[in-house]
């Protein structure tokens, strides 16, 4: 018997029991579809995270510590910021953006109040931190000491009932000084701040001086972050007379390391959910093995007759292996169609229903691997029943009732 004839016999046997064959493939279908959908969801979440926080890949956060050399820490200053931005000493640093701040209370003329934090900074702050404006504009270099502010969504929600248009152009009082709202930024998680020019914050809220609380350093590229971090620490160690890293009165942290940790956690969660979905494939394989054993038992006399008239063991083995492989392979194909279809539909529907939820991204590798695994399950699950059928002795098979 050639492989073509064995395939025809196998297909005929499956077609004779359509309902049973369909139910047997159900476990494979569910398992393959679940793996594809969950991998697509995991990829979508990782892609969304990378898109939302990709700008952090080049950032280094520098903040002042309360402890430092000989117990006398130095503040970070404007001179430190200028040194970090000097291309002669820090060629891998693209920019250094200072911030200074503290707690404040915003108040409308009508008496409504909102407790917040002020961020005194420079005009490039929104570009560096990758924040977008909902309405209005950011202050420019000519407004270094102007009494203008840009509000985050939290303040707009409490003071203006969430109406960014109403907030634009309004006056808010911080302490004894009135400030004009010139912009509102989009929500990003840090939604209770008030952004104003650094000179303005120092003049009216934070007191004089040239100290800053944080510096956002941006490297020229993600690959240059380690070199930029080394240059930052070298410059600040020299300016602050620090000999040992343990004595530093500042902390410099590359945001890329935090992104890597989060991505690793997301990858582990994706693998875990895929492993749970793969249990369906195992259950489906057990179902295929069970049905094939039943099939062998039901067709014992047929096997005996075929062997009695000259069918070889190899022909019997081929037929039953092909039956189990057809079951698993067909289930894998249907599972792929369902999984890809659900993922594609979700990629279209989710952004409309839940704008903040990242759309799934189908991974071709997961599709191929799922289908290959379904075929392997068919071979493994059908191996024992097929071998059992092939080893039946004709005389014993013919006696079976």
């Amino acid at each position: 018997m050639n492989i073509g004839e064995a395939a025809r016999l196998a297909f005929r046997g499956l077609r004779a029991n359509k309902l049973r064959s369909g139910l047997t493939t159900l476990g494979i279908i569910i398992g393959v579809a679940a793996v594809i959908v969950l991998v697509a969801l995991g990829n979508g979440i990782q892609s969304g995270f990378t898109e939302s926080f990709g700008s952090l890949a080049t950032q280094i956060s520098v903040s002042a510590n309360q402890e430092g050399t000989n117990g006398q820490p130095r503040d970070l200053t404007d001179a430190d910021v200028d040194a970090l931005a000097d291309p002669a000493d820090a060629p891998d640093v693209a920019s250094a953006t200072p911030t200074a701040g503290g707690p404040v209370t915003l108040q409308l003329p009508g008496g409504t109040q909102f407790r917040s934090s002020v961020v005194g900074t420079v005009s490039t702050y929104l570009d560096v931190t990758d924040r977008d404006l909902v309405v209005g504009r950011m202050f420019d270099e000519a407004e270094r000491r102007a009494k203008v502010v840009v509000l985050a969504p939290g303040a707009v929600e409490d003071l203006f009932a969430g109406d960014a248009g109403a907030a634009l152009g309004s006056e808010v009082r911080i302490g004894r000084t009135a400030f004009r709202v010139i912009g509102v930024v989009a929500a990003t998680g840090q939604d209770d701040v008030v952004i104003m020019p650094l000179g303005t914050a120092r003049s009216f809220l934070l007191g004089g001086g040239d100290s800053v609380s944080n510096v956002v350093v941006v490297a020229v590229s993600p690959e240059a972050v380690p070199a930029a971090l080394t240059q930052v620490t070298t410059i600040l160690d020299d300016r602050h007379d620090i000999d040992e890293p343990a004595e530093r009165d500042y902390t410099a942290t590359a945001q890329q390391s935090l992104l890597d940790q989060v991505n690793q956690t997301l990858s582990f969660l994706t693998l875990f959910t895929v492993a749970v979905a793969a249990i369906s494939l195992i259950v489906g394989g057990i179902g295929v093995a069970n049905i094939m054993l039943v099939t062998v038992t039901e067709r014992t006399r047929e096997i005996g007759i075929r062997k009695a008239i000259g069918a070889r063991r190899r022909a019997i083995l081929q037929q039953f292996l092909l039956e189990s492989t057809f079951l698993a392979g067909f289930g894998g194909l249907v599972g792929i169609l369902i999984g890809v279809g659900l993922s594609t539909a979700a990629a279209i529907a989710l952004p409309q229903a839940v704008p903040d939820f990242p759309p799934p991204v189908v991974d071709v590798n997961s599709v191929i691997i799922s289908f290959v695994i379904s075929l392997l399950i068919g071979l493994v699950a059908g191996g024992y029943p097929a071998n059992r059928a092939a080893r039946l002795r004709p005389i014993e098979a013919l006696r079976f009732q």
Side-chain angles (χ1 to χ4, degrees):
M1 179 187 295
N2 57 37
I3 190 70
E5 186 178 353
R8 284 194 297 272
L9 287 173
F11 185 72
R12 189 182 304 164
L14 294 176
R15 192 171 56 182
N17 297 280
K18 295 178 182 178
L19 180 59
R20 187 170 67 185
S21 299
L23 292 175
T24 303
T25 61
L26 190 58
I28 303 294
I29 293 172
I30 294 173
V32 171
V35 168
I36 292 173
V37 169
L38 289 176
V39 170
L41 286 172
N43 289 339
I45 291 172
Q46 285 186 302
S47 297
F49 177 81
T50 301
E51 183 179 350
S52 299
F53 299 98
S55 61
L56 296 179
T58 57
Q59 286 189 15
I60 299 170
S61 176
V62 183
S63 57
N65 287 345
Q66 296 300 316
E67 296 181 359
T69 307
N70 300 321
Q72 298 177 350
R74 295 185 183 181
D75 291 334
L76 294 171
T77 64
D78 290 339
D80 290 330
V81 177
D82 293 338
L84 293 176
D86 186 351
D89 294 327
D92 291 297
V93 172
S95 66
T97 303
T99 65
V104 294
T105 300
L106 279 70
Q107 185 174 1
L108 292 180
T112 305
Q113 295 184 348
F114 177 73
R115 295 187 62 82
S116 179
S117 299
V118 66
V119 176
T121 186
V122 295
S123 59
T124 57
Y125 178 75
L126 294 186
D127 294 330
V128 169
T129 56
D130 197 28
R131 299 198 70 168
D132 297 322
L133 286 164
V134 177
V135 294
R137 62 178 179 85
M138 183 63 170
F139 49 83
D140 55 33
E141 285 297 314
E143 297 173 305
R144 293 182 181 181
R145 297 184 183 276
K147 291 183 284 187
V148 294
V149 295
V150 176
L151 299 182
V156 175
E157 183 66 34
D158 279 31
L159 297 178
F160 300 96
D163 187 348
L168 190 64
S170 301
E171 283 194 351
V172 295
R173 183 170 294 276
I174 305 176
R176 299 180 179 180
T177 307
F179 295 84
R180 181 168 55 90
V181 179
I182 62 171
V184 176
V185 295
T188 62
Q190 191 181 9
D191 296 334
D192 61 346
V193 298
V194 179
I195 305 168
M196 66 174 59
L198 181 57
T200 303
R202 287 171 173 168
S203 298
F204 297 98
L205 302 174
L206 306 178
D210 63 350
S211 64
V212 298
S213 53
N214 294 89
V215 183
V216 180
V217 176
V218 178
V220 294
S221 68
E223 294 75 21
V225 168
L229 181 59
T230 300
Q231 293 160 15
V232 167
T233 55
T234 300
I235 292 170
L236 292 180
D237 285 352
D238 181 62
R239 292 185 56 82
H240 290 214
D241 299 322
I242 295 171
D243 297 323
E244 298 293 335
E247 298 177 348
R248 286 173 178 160
D249 51 9
Y250 66 91
T251 300
T253 305
Q255 302 298 326
Q256 179 63 55
S257 60
L258 300 178
L259 292 178
D260 290 341
Q261 292 176 10
V262 174
N263 273 319
Q264 186 178 37
T265 301
L266 291 175
S267 297
F268 287 155
L269 289 175
T270 301
L271 286 175
F272 174 75
T273 54
V274 170
V276 172
I279 294 175
S280 297
L281 282 173
I282 297 174
V283 173
I286 294 173
V288 171
N290 182 44
I291 292 302
M292 292 307 300
L293 285 171
V294 172
T295 300
V296 170
T297 302
E298 289 179 345
R299 295 160 64 182
T300 300
R301 284 184 60 83
E302 175 193 330
I303 295 169
I305 293 172
R306 290 183 59 195
K307 296 194 75 172
I309 61 176
R312 296 186 177 183
R313 176 178 176 181
R314 179 181 176 184
I316 305 297
L317 185 66
Q318 278 183 347
Q319 178 184 344
F320 284 93
L321 275 179
L322 285 172
E323 285 190 24
S324 63
T325 305
F326 281 161
L327 284 174
F330 178 74
L333 287 174
V334 175
I336 287 173
L337 292 176
I338 293 175
V340 173
L342 288 175
S343 299
T344 304
I348 297 173
L350 274 177
Q352 299 177 2
V354 188
D356 293 333
F357 194 92
V361 178
V362 176
D363 184 5
V364 176
N365 291 329
S366 69
V367 174
I368 295 173
I369 292 173
S370 297
F371 182 65
V372 171
I373 290 177
S374 68
L375 291 178
L376 291 176
I377 285 175
L379 288 173
V380 173
Y384 174 72
N387 188 58
R388 180 180 176 184
R391 293 177 60 185
L392 284 173
R393 299 176 64 182
I395 189 66
E396 293 177 354
L398 290 171
R399 287 176 181 172
F400 187 83
Q401 297 296 327

